[in-house]
Amino acid sequence: GDINSNTILNSEVFADGKVILTGKRGTLIGGYAHGRKGISCVNLGNNVEVKTVAHAGLETKDYLKNQDVMKKDVYLRDQLKVILEKMNHILAKKKAAPITKEDLDELNALNAKKSELTAQLKDNIREQEIISKVVEEARYAEIRVEEHVYKGAIIAIDASRMPIQDSTKYMIYRGVNGVIEGSVIVVN
């Protein structure tokens, strides 16, 4: 869910949704705030440059989990392919001559391994569905600062980090192809 507050000081906060700081101050100063779907605040950091990290999008652990699940899927499918090829080879020999006890034992062992790998693949597919939802939720994450973004704050989106070199105002930050882009918010 979301985290809603007026001020967050020197804290570590994590939201599956957004971190939303509103009110008179709407300030994030010090610590680390992560909102998978984004962060919205009035002020980010302060003029004494307390280290403040605003992170939106995928956390490293989610990114690594996604990579692991995809690699495991390829591995399991490759293993199943090898087992099926071996089973088909044994069954093809059956046409030329009666099946031997050794071949039957090997077929049974391969069939048991196939069942084990199929179960693992089903579990992995469930994990893929879960992590895919997390990745999709983080896809359009952004960090929106309605007033001051102070020097020394760090903007992070997914795996990209951008230290703020000079204080600025009225900004929205988005990750585009692994690069953080900042745009000025037009205020009427």
Side-chain angles (χ1 to χ4, degrees), residues 86-106:
K86 287 180 181 179
M87 291 175 82
N88 286 333
H89 177 71
I90 293 169
L91 293 173
K93 287 190 335 185
K94 179 182 172 187
K95 291 180 183 176
I99 195 161
T100 66
K101 180 176 179 351
E102 291 81 21
D103 287 342
L104 188 57
D105 290 345
E106 187 176 358

Side-chain angles (χ1 to χ4, degrees), residues 71-86:
K71 286 178 187 175
K72 188 174 182 180
D73 184 76
V74 169
Y75 172 78
L76 291 171
R77 289 178 191 277
D78 286 346
Q79 292 297 305
L80 276 170
K81 182 180 176 186
V82 168
I83 287 171
L84 291 173
E85 286 172 356
K86 287 180 181 179

Side-chain angles (χ1 to χ4, degrees), residues 83-179:
I83 287 171
L84 291 173
E85 286 172 356
K86 287 180 181 179
M87 291 175 82
N88 286 333
H89 177 71
I90 293 169
L91 293 173
K93 287 190 335 185
K94 179 182 172 187
K95 291 180 183 176
I99 195 161
T100 66
K101 180 176 179 351
E102 291 81 21
D103 287 342
L104 188 57
D105 290 345
E106 187 176 358
L107 267 177
N108 288 334
L110 289 170
N111 199 36
K113 185 68 175 167
K114 182 182 94 169
S115 296
E116 178 186 323
L117 288 172
T118 301
Q120 289 179 24
L121 186 60
K122 285 181 183 177
D123 290 343
N124 197 62
I125 289 170
R126 280 191 286 277
E127 284 186 52
Q128 276 181 316
E129 290 168 354
I130 292 167
I131 197 68
S132 291
K133 287 178 185 174
V134 169
V135 169
E136 186 59 33
E137 287 174 352
R139 184 176 307 271
Y140 301 106
E142 62 185 28
I143 298 171
R144 182 181 185 92
V145 184
E146 298 291 336
E147 288 190 21
H148 297 92
V149 182
Y150 289 96
K151 177 180 177 183
I154 297 171
I155 301 293
I157 299 179
D158 296 330
S160 301
R161 296 171 66 87
M162 182 176 84
I164 301 300
Q165 302 297 324
D166 295 306
S167 296
T168 186
K169 289 184 169 186
Y170 313 112
M171 296 295 293
I172 188 164
Y173 300 94
R174 294 183 179 100
V176 178
N177 298 324
V179 177

Side-chain angles (χ1 to χ4, degrees), residues 13-83:
V13 296
F14 299 85
D16 290 337
K18 291 184 176 187
V19 175
I20 303 166
L21 296 141
T22 56
K24 187 174 181 179
R25 291 183 183 244
T27 302
L28 174 60
I29 301 173
Y32 176 88
H34 175 261
R36 183 181 299 149
K37 294 181 181 178
I39 296 176
S40 177
C41 62
V42 178
N43 296 296
L44 179 61
N46 66 2
N47 55 6
V48 293
E49 299 181 29
V50 173
K51 184 175 179 183
T52 305
V53 179
H55 182 221
L58 282 182
E59 288 185 274
T60 302
K61 70 177 179 67
D62 294 328
Y63 176 79
L64 293 174
K65 175 76 170 178
N66 189 40
Q67 293 299 314
D68 288 345
V69 166
M70 289 190 298
K71 286 178 187 175
K72 188 174 182 180
D73 184 76
V74 169
Y75 172 78
L76 291 171
R77 289 178 191 277
D78 286 346
Q79 292 297 305
L80 276 170
K81 182 180 176 186
V82 168
I83 287 171

